[in-house]
Amino acid sequence: DQQVKQNSPSLSVQEGRISILNCDYTNSMFDYFLWYKKYPAEGPTFLISISSIKDKNEDGRFTVFLNKSAKHLSLHIVPSQPGDSAVYFCAASGETDSWGKLQFGAGTQVVVTP
Amino acid sequence: GAGVSQSPSNKVTEKGKDVELRCDPISGHTALYWYRQSLGQGLEFLIYFQGNSAPDKSGLPSDRFSAERTGGSVSTLTIQRTQQEDSAVYLCASSAYRQGARGYTFGSGTRLTVV
């Protein structure tokens, strides 16, 4: 049962524009959410996270928004750059997974075009 | 080491053979995780080790899968009698004590192909 869903397998965006990646989850016990970025033949790298006590977290060009009532989070990248072309994974963990076991979405392939 | 090291990077094996995948975590990291990514799927949790505690094996898909972590460092994931559905990228991650997911460092993975 997929508890974290990324319904858009791919996204194409022009350089300089905003990229918006979406993620939905079903488990209301999740209290911590993360985004990872993955280049081909490399492991995922941590990008940004948000705790369920917040609704927004910003780090440079990256902002994550959390809507707990809708069980939805999104990642905004602005402005998008060619180096942002990668697969982005949404992940979540809950109180009982405090040691860090994560549930991942299937990923969204982002392509930033010149 | 400086990062999480996994070997081999690629493995092609015949159906029915056993395979061993190795993970060398960051020195001093007490937590070690195995995930796998099948084609078109997200990362699927397999097993996690934390210090000397009993491992959480709740994600292992069948009894053909096993893992051990010797001396609190290197881990080996063993798949017996491989099947074609075992084909995936197997990823290992480690994190420091109590950092959990906030401190994950992933290796580059082992791409396993069962033919």
Side-chain angles (χ1 to χ4, degrees), chain B residues 11-33:
Chain B
K11 176 72 176 178
V12 180
T13 190
E14 290 181 355
K15 178 181 171 181
K17 301 277 191 180
D18 298 352
V19 295
E20 284 189 352
L21 312 180
R22 176 188 168 104
C23 173
D24 200 343
I26 291 175
S27 178
H29 277 189
T30 57
L32 186 149
Y33 312 81

Side-chain angles (χ1 to χ4, degrees), chain B residues 89-106:
Chain B
V89 176
Y90 288 80
L91 289 158
C92 174
S94 69
S95 69
Y97 183 63
R98 287 199 177 275
Q99 279 196 335
R102 297 148 179 73
Y104 266 31
T105 300
F106 278 94

Side-chain angles (χ1 to χ4, degrees), chain B residues 29-32 48-56 69-73 97:
Chain B
H29 277 189
T30 57
L32 186 149
Y48 123 78
F49 298 88
Q50 173 58 46
N52 295 320
S53 302
D56 178 345
R69 188 179 185 190
T70 53
S73 180
Y97 183 63

